[in-house]
Amino acid sequence: ALMAPVPVSQSTAESPAAATATPTLAAAPSMSARVKTLAESKNPADAYKAFLLLEKCRSFALWRREGELTRQAERDERFAEAQRSGTLDAQLQEKCGDLTPDSFAQIVPLLERASAAGVLHAASALTRQGPFGNGWVDVDMRPNDPLVVAWKQRMGEVLKTAATKGDYIASMQLAENFGSGAGVLDQH
């Protein structure tokens, strides 16, 4: 269907350049603004979406760094070509934008909020953060630390709650741990 012509205003008619100007699209919000908007939303599902944006950046940055440290470029021509062409830099900019290392400090609180509200998969993502937000390093290094022990017990309850609400990944984590005889989160 054709649209009716839009009437030209008096000010547009006076300026021929304005009459032919192409409307510009507003710039997309920065990555940190997107994360902030989602994090500040009252909807707990948005907290999980904010985590996913942060995790996408963190995962890509870690993959890229690991590839560089292990000299992947020497073994993988695609990685080497991506390095040479600047594709890795462009992908990092796309996934991370203006995020700073401080941006990632909000991952655990975001997941805590989403998990408490029963957002699907938030509980299992929360357990992957470890007791202090740095993965399972502390669980492996300090298994008898009272804080780690308390965290493991709390995460067991978080997973049980999520599983009863239908989170199949939480159910699988529980089954994996109980099936091995290790108990909740004693084995990962």
Coordinates of all heavy atoms in Angstrom, one line a residue, residues 22-80:
T22 N 18.0 13.3 4.3 CA 17.6 12.0 4.8 C 17.5 11.9 6.3 O 18.5 12.4 6.9 CB 18.7 10.9 4.3 OG1 18.8 11.1 2.9 CG2 18.2 9.5 4.6
P23 N 16.4 11.4 6.8 CA 16.3 11.4 8.3 C 17.4 10.4 8.8 O 17.7 9.4 8.2 CB 14.9 10.8 8.5 CG 14.4 10.3 7.2 CD 15.3 10.9 6.1
T24 N 18.0 10.8 9.9 CA 19.0 10.0 10.5 C 18.4 9.2 11.6 O 17.5 9.6 12.3 CB 20.2 10.8 11.1 OG1 19.6 11.8 12.0 CG2 20.9 11.6 10.0
L25 N 18.9 8.0 11.8 CA 18.5 7.1 12.9 C 19.3 7.5 14.1 O 20.5 7.8 14.1 CB 18.7 5.7 12.5 CG 17.9 5.1 11.3 CD1 18.3 3.7 11.0 CD2 16.4 5.2 11.6
A26 N 18.6 7.4 15.3 CA 19.3 7.7 16.5 C 20.3 6.5 16.7 O 20.1 5.4 16.4 CB 18.3 7.7 17.7
A27 N 21.4 6.9 17.3 CA 22.5 5.9 17.6 C 22.0 4.9 18.6 O 21.2 5.3 19.5 CB 23.7 6.6 18.1
A28 N 22.3 3.7 18.4 CA 21.9 2.6 19.4 C 22.6 2.9 20.7 O 23.7 3.5 20.8 CB 22.4 1.3 18.9
P29 N 21.9 2.6 21.8 CA 22.5 2.9 23.1 C 23.8 2.1 23.3 O 24.0 1.0 22.7 CB 21.5 2.4 24.1 CG 20.4 1.7 23.4 CD 20.6 2.0 21.9
S30 N 24.7 2.6 24.0 CA 26.0 2.0 24.3 C 25.7 0.7 25.0 O 24.7 0.5 25.6 CB 26.9 2.8 25.1 OG 26.4 3.0 26.4
M31 N 26.7 -0.2 25.0 CA 26.6 -1.5 25.7 C 26.4 -1.3 27.2 O 25.5 -1.9 27.8 CB 27.8 -2.4 25.5 CG 27.6 -3.8 26.0 SD 26.2 -4.7 25.3 CE 26.8 -5.0 23.7
S32 N 27.1 -0.4 27.8 CA 27.0 -0.1 29.2 C 25.6 0.5 29.5 O 25.0 0.2 30.6 CB 28.1 0.8 29.8 OG 28.0 2.1 29.2
A33 N 25.1 1.3 28.6 CA 23.7 1.8 28.8 C 22.7 0.7 28.7 O 21.7 0.7 29.5 CB 23.4 2.9 27.8
R34 N 22.9 -0.2 27.8 CA 21.9 -1.3 27.6 C 21.9 -2.2 28.9 O 20.9 -2.5 29.4 CB 22.3 -2.2 26.4 CG 22.0 -1.5 25.1 CD 22.5 -2.2 23.9 NE 21.9 -3.6 23.8 CZ 22.4 -4.5 23.1 NH1 23.5 -4.4 22.4 NH2 21.8 -5.7 23.1
V35 N 23.1 -2.5 29.4 CA 23.2 -3.3 30.6 C 22.6 -2.5 31.8 O 21.8 -3.1 32.6 CB 24.7 -3.6 30.9 CG1 24.8 -4.2 32.3 CG2 25.2 -4.6 29.9
K36 N 22.9 -1.2 31.9 CA 22.3 -0.4 33.0 C 20.8 -0.4 33.0 O 20.1 -0.5 34.0 CB 22.9 1.0 32.9 CG 22.4 1.9 34.1 CD 23.1 3.3 34.0 CE 22.8 4.0 35.2 NZ 22.1 5.3 35.0
T37 N 20.2 -0.2 31.8 CA 18.8 -0.1 31.6 C 18.2 -1.4 32.1 O 17.2 -1.5 32.8 CB 18.4 0.2 30.2 OG1 18.9 1.5 29.9 CG2 16.9 0.2 30.0
L38 N 18.7 -2.5 31.6 CA 18.2 -3.9 32.0 C 18.4 -4.1 33.5 O 17.5 -4.6 34.1 CB 18.9 -5.0 31.2 CG 18.5 -5.0 29.7 CD1 19.5 -5.9 28.9 CD2 17.1 -5.5 29.5
A39 N 19.5 -3.8 34.0 CA 19.8 -4.0 35.4 C 18.9 -3.2 36.3 O 18.5 -3.7 37.4 CB 21.3 -3.7 35.7
E40 N 18.5 -2.0 35.9 CA 17.6 -1.1 36.7 C 16.2 -1.4 36.5 O 15.3 -0.9 37.3 CB 17.9 0.3 36.4 CG 19.3 0.8 36.9 CD 19.6 2.2 36.5 OE1 18.9 2.8 35.7 OE2 20.6 2.7 37.0
S41 N 15.8 -2.3 35.6 CA 14.4 -2.6 35.3 C 13.9 -3.4 36.6 O 14.6 -4.1 37.3 CB 14.3 -3.5 34.1 OG 13.1 -4.1 34.0
K42 N 12.6 -3.2 36.8 CA 11.9 -3.9 37.9 C 11.7 -5.4 37.5 O 11.4 -6.2 38.4 CB 10.7 -3.2 38.3 CG 10.9 -1.8 38.8 CD 9.7 -1.3 39.5 CE 9.9 0.1 40.0 NZ 11.1 0.5 40.6
N43 N 11.8 -5.7 36.2 CA 11.5 -7.1 35.8 C 12.8 -8.0 36.0 O 13.8 -7.7 35.4 CB 11.2 -7.1 34.3 CG 10.8 -8.4 33.7 OD1 11.0 -9.4 34.3 ND2 10.2 -8.4 32.5
P44 N 12.7 -9.0 36.8 CA 13.8 -9.9 37.1 C 14.4 -10.6 35.8 O 15.6 -10.9 35.8 CB 13.3 -10.9 38.1 CG 12.0 -10.4 38.6 CD 11.5 -9.4 37.6
A45 N 13.5 -10.8 34.8 CA 14.0 -11.4 33.6 C 15.0 -10.4 32.9 O 15.9 -10.9 32.2 CB 12.9 -11.7 32.6
D46 N 14.8 -9.1 33.1 CA 15.8 -8.2 32.5 C 17.1 -8.2 33.2 O 18.2 -8.0 32.6 CB 15.2 -6.7 32.6 CG 14.1 -6.5 31.6 OD1 14.0 -7.3 30.6 OD2 13.3 -5.5 31.8
A47 N 17.1 -8.6 34.5 CA 18.4 -8.8 35.2 C 19.2 -9.9 34.5 O 20.4 -9.8 34.4 CB 18.2 -9.1 36.7
Y48 N 18.5 -11.0 34.2 CA 19.1 -12.1 33.5 C 19.6 -11.7 32.1 O 20.7 -12.1 31.7 CB 18.2 -13.3 33.4 CG 18.8 -14.5 32.9 CD1 19.8 -15.2 33.7 CD2 18.5 -15.1 31.7 CE1 20.4 -16.4 33.2 CE2 19.1 -16.2 31.2 CZ 20.1 -16.9 32.0 OH 20.7 -18.0 31.5
K49 N 18.8 -10.9 31.4 CA 19.3 -10.4 30.1 C 20.5 -9.5 30.2 O 21.4 -9.6 29.4 CB 18.2 -9.6 29.4 CG 17.0 -10.5 29.0 CD 15.9 -9.6 28.4 CE 14.6 -10.4 28.2 NZ 13.5 -9.6 27.8
A50 N 20.6 -8.7 31.3 CA 21.8 -7.9 31.5 C 23.0 -8.8 31.7 O 24.1 -8.6 31.2 CB 21.6 -7.0 32.7
F51 N 22.8 -9.9 32.5 CA 23.9 -10.9 32.7 C 24.3 -11.5 31.4 O 25.5 -11.6 31.2 CB 23.4 -12.0 33.7 CG 24.2 -13.3 33.5 CD1 25.5 -13.4 33.9 CD2 23.6 -14.4 32.8 CE1 26.2 -14.6 33.7 CE2 24.3 -15.5 32.6 CZ 25.6 -15.6 33.1
L52 N 23.4 -11.8 30.5 CA 23.7 -12.5 29.3 C 24.6 -11.5 28.4 O 25.5 -12.0 27.8 CB 22.5 -12.9 28.5 CG 21.7 -14.1 29.1 CD1 20.4 -14.3 28.3 CD2 22.5 -15.3 29.2
L53 N 24.3 -10.2 28.4 CA 25.1 -9.3 27.7 C 26.5 -9.3 28.2 O 27.5 -9.3 27.5 CB 24.5 -7.9 27.7 CG 23.3 -7.7 26.9 CD1 22.7 -6.3 27.1 CD2 23.5 -7.9 25.4
L54 N 26.6 -9.2 29.6 CA 27.9 -9.2 30.2 C 28.7 -10.5 29.9 O 29.9 -10.5 29.7 CB 27.8 -9.0 31.7 CG 27.3 -7.6 32.1 CD1 26.9 -7.6 33.6 CD2 28.4 -6.5 31.9
E55 N 28.0 -11.6 30.0 CA 28.6 -12.9 29.8 C 29.1 -13.1 28.4 O 30.1 -13.7 28.1 CB 27.6 -14.0 30.2 CG 28.2 -15.4 30.2 CD 29.4 -15.6 31.2 OE1 29.6 -14.8 32.1 OE2 30.1 -16.6 31.1
K56 N 28.3 -12.6 27.4 CA 28.8 -12.7 26.0 C 30.1 -12.0 25.8 O 31.0 -12.5 25.2 CB 27.7 -12.1 25.1 CG 28.0 -12.2 23.6 CD 27.1 -11.4 22.8 CE 25.8 -12.0 22.5 NZ 25.0 -11.2 21.5
C57 N 30.2 -10.8 26.4 CA 31.5 -10.0 26.3 C 32.6 -10.8 27.0 O 33.7 -11.0 26.5 CB 31.3 -8.7 26.9 SG 32.8 -7.7 27.2
R58 N 32.3 -11.2 28.3 CA 33.4 -11.8 29.0 C 33.8 -13.1 28.4 O 35.1 -13.4 28.3 CB 32.9 -12.1 30.5 CG 33.9 -12.8 31.4 CD 33.5 -12.8 32.8 NE 32.3 -13.8 33.0 CZ 31.8 -14.1 34.1 NH1 32.3 -13.6 35.2 NH2 30.8 -14.9 34.2
S59 N 32.9 -13.9 27.9 CA 33.3 -15.2 27.2 C 34.1 -14.9 26.0 O 35.1 -15.6 25.8 CB 32.0 -16.0 26.8 OG 31.3 -16.4 28.0
F60 N 33.7 -14.0 25.2 CA 34.5 -13.7 23.9 C 35.9 -13.2 24.3 O 36.9 -13.6 23.7 CB 33.8 -12.7 23.0 CG 34.5 -12.5 21.7 CD1 34.4 -13.4 20.7 CD2 35.4 -11.4 21.6 CE1 35.1 -13.3 19.5 CE2 36.1 -11.3 20.4 CZ 36.0 -12.2 19.4
A61 N 36.0 -12.3 25.3 CA 37.3 -11.7 25.7 C 38.2 -12.8 26.2 O 39.4 -12.8 25.9 CB 37.1 -10.6 26.7
L62 N 37.6 -13.7 27.0 CA 38.5 -14.8 27.5 C 38.9 -15.8 26.4 O 40.0 -16.2 26.4 CB 37.7 -15.6 28.6 CG 37.5 -14.9 29.9 CD1 36.5 -15.6 30.8 CD2 38.8 -14.6 30.6
W63 N 38.0 -16.1 25.5 CA 38.3 -16.9 24.4 C 39.4 -16.3 23.5 O 40.4 -17.0 23.2 CB 37.1 -17.2 23.5 CG 37.4 -17.9 22.2 CD1 37.6 -19.2 22.1 CD2 37.7 -17.3 21.0 NE1 37.9 -19.5 20.7 CE2 38.0 -18.3 20.0 CE3 37.6 -16.0 20.5 CZ2 38.2 -18.1 18.7 CZ3 37.9 -15.7 19.1 CH2 38.2 -16.8 18.3
R64 N 39.3 -15.0 23.3 CA 40.3 -14.3 22.5 C 41.7 -14.3 23.2 O 42.7 -14.6 22.6 CB 39.9 -12.9 22.2 CG 40.9 -12.1 21.4 CD 40.5 -10.7 21.2 NE 41.6 -10.0 20.6 CZ 41.5 -8.7 20.3 NH1 40.5 -8.0 20.6 NH2 42.6 -8.1 19.8
R65 N 41.6 -14.0 24.5 CA 42.9 -14.0 25.3 C 43.5 -15.3 25.4 O 44.7 -15.5 25.2 CB 42.6 -13.4 26.7 CG 43.8 -13.3 27.5 CD 44.6 -12.1 27.1 NE 45.8 -12.0 27.9 CZ 47.0 -11.8 27.5 NH1 47.2 -11.6 26.2 NH2 48.0 -11.7 28.3
E66 N 42.7 -16.4 25.6 CA 43.2 -17.7 25.6 C 43.9 -18.1 24.3 O 44.9 -18.7 24.3 CB 42.1 -18.7 26.0 CG 42.6 -20.1 26.1 CD 41.4 -21.0 26.5 OE1 41.0 -20.9 27.6 OE2 41.0 -21.9 25.7
G67 N 43.2 -17.7 23.2 CA 43.8 -18.0 21.9 C 45.1 -17.4 21.7 O 46.0 -17.9 21.1
E68 N 45.2 -16.2 22.1 CA 46.5 -15.4 22.0 C 47.6 -16.0 22.9 O 48.7 -16.2 22.5 CB 46.3 -14.0 22.3 CG 45.4 -13.2 21.3 CD 45.0 -11.9 21.7 OE1 45.2 -11.5 22.8 OE2 44.5 -11.2 20.8
L69 N 47.2 -16.4 24.1 CA 48.2 -17.0 25.0 C 48.7 -18.3 24.6 O 49.8 -18.7 24.8 CB 47.6 -17.1 26.4 CG 47.4 -15.8 27.2 CD1 46.7 -16.0 28.5 CD2 48.7 -15.1 27.4
T70 N 47.8 -19.1 24.0 CA 48.2 -20.5 23.5 C 48.7 -20.5 22.1 O 48.9 -21.5 21.5 CB 47.0 -21.5 23.6 OG1 45.9 -21.0 22.8 CG2 46.5 -21.6 25.1
R71 N 48.9 -19.3 21.6 CA 49.4 -19.1 20.2 C 48.6 -19.9 19.2 O 49.1 -20.6 18.3 CB 50.9 -19.6 20.2 CG 51.7 -18.7 21.1 CD 53.1 -19.3 21.3 NE 53.8 -19.1 20.0 CZ 54.9 -18.5 19.8 NH1 55.5 -17.9 20.9 NH2 55.5 -18.4 18.7
Q72 N 47.3 -19.8 19.4 CA 46.3 -20.5 18.5 C 46.5 -20.1 17.1 O 46.3 -20.9 16.2 CB 44.9 -20.2 19.0 CG 43.8 -20.9 18.2 CD 42.5 -20.7 18.8 OE1 42.3 -20.2 19.9 NE2 41.5 -21.2 18.1
A73 N 47.0 -18.8 16.8 CA 47.2 -18.4 15.5 C 48.1 -19.2 14.7 O 48.0 -19.4 13.5 CB 47.6 -16.9 15.5
E74 N 49.1 -19.8 15.4 CA 50.1 -20.7 14.7 C 49.5 -22.0 14.3 O 49.9 -22.6 13.4 CB 51.3 -20.9 15.7 CG 52.1 -19.7 15.9 CD 53.2 -19.9 17.0 OE1 53.4 -21.1 17.4 OE2 53.8 -19.0 17.3
R75 N 48.4 -22.4 15.0 CA 47.8 -23.7 14.7 C 46.5 -23.6 13.9 O 46.0 -24.5 13.2 CB 47.4 -24.5 16.0 CG 48.7 -24.8 16.8 CD 48.3 -25.7 18.0 NE 47.2 -25.2 18.8 CZ 47.3 -24.2 19.7 NH1 48.4 -23.7 20.0 NH2 46.2 -23.9 20.4
D76 N 45.8 -22.4 13.9 CA 44.5 -22.3 13.3 C 44.5 -21.1 12.4 O 44.6 -19.9 12.8 CB 43.5 -22.1 14.4 CG 42.1 -22.0 13.9 OD1 41.9 -21.8 12.7 OD2 41.1 -22.1 14.8
E77 N 44.5 -21.3 11.1 CA 44.6 -20.3 10.1 C 43.4 -19.3 10.2 O 43.6 -18.1 10.0 CB 44.6 -20.9 8.7 CG 44.8 -19.9 7.6 CD 46.0 -18.9 7.7 OE1 47.0 -19.4 8.2 OE2 45.9 -17.7 7.4
R78 N 42.2 -19.8 10.6 CA 41.1 -18.9 10.7 C 41.3 -17.9 11.8 O 41.0 -16.7 11.7 CB 39.8 -19.7 11.0 CG 39.3 -20.4 9.7 CD 38.1 -21.3 10.1 NE 38.5 -22.2 11.2 CZ 37.7 -23.0 11.8 NH1 36.5 -23.1 11.5 NH2 38.2 -23.8 12.8
F79 N 41.9 -18.3 13.0 CA 42.2 -17.4 14.1 C 43.2 -16.4 13.6 O 43.1 -15.2 13.9 CB 42.6 -18.2 15.3 CG 42.7 -17.4 16.5 CD1 41.7 -17.3 17.4 CD2 43.9 -16.8 16.9 CE1 41.8 -16.5 18.6 CE2 44.1 -16.0 18.0 CZ 43.0 -15.9 18.9
A80 N 44.2 -16.9 12.9 CA 45.3 -16.0 12.5 C 44.8 -15.0 11.5 O 45.1 -13.8 11.6 CB 46.4 -16.8 11.8

